[in-house]
Amino acid sequence: MHLTTLTHEGRFWEVFLEFVDEPGDPDSCRARLCYVPTDRAEHEEPVRTAVIIIEANPREACEAAQALDRYHLTALLRSVT
């Protein structure tokens, strides 16, 4: 799910919410953020946070991700690059 596009260190980054299956805990929905530079070179992989969103269902996970503002999203990108 696409959340937003932001700038960081002179590049534009697409920010996505990426769901992660957790077979040991089927009663929760886990997700992380995936950052993809719009000018990505062939050798570059997207960068991802650890699982930082754990909610009861996908709708609540999406709401939690959408509640993150640009400051938090940029800080999380800075922490994984």
Side-chain angles (χ1 to χ4, degrees), residues 49-79:
T49 65
V51 171
I52 59 171
I53 296 175
I54 302 173
E55 297 292 343
N57 57 57
R59 181 185 53 78
E60 290 179 11
C62 289
E63 289 172 358
Q66 290 170 336
L68 296 169
D69 63 22
R70 288 189 176 277
Y71 174 81
H72 293 112
L73 293 171
T74 302
L76 287 164
L77 173 58
R78 197 175 305 122
S79 76

Side-chain angles (χ1 to χ4, degrees), residues 4-5 19-21 33 41 48 50-52 57 67 71 75 79 81:
T4 191
T5 303
F19 293 99
V20 178
D21 289 331
L33 299 178
R48 292 172 171 85
V51 171
I52 59 171
N57 57 57
Y71 174 81
S79 76
T81 55

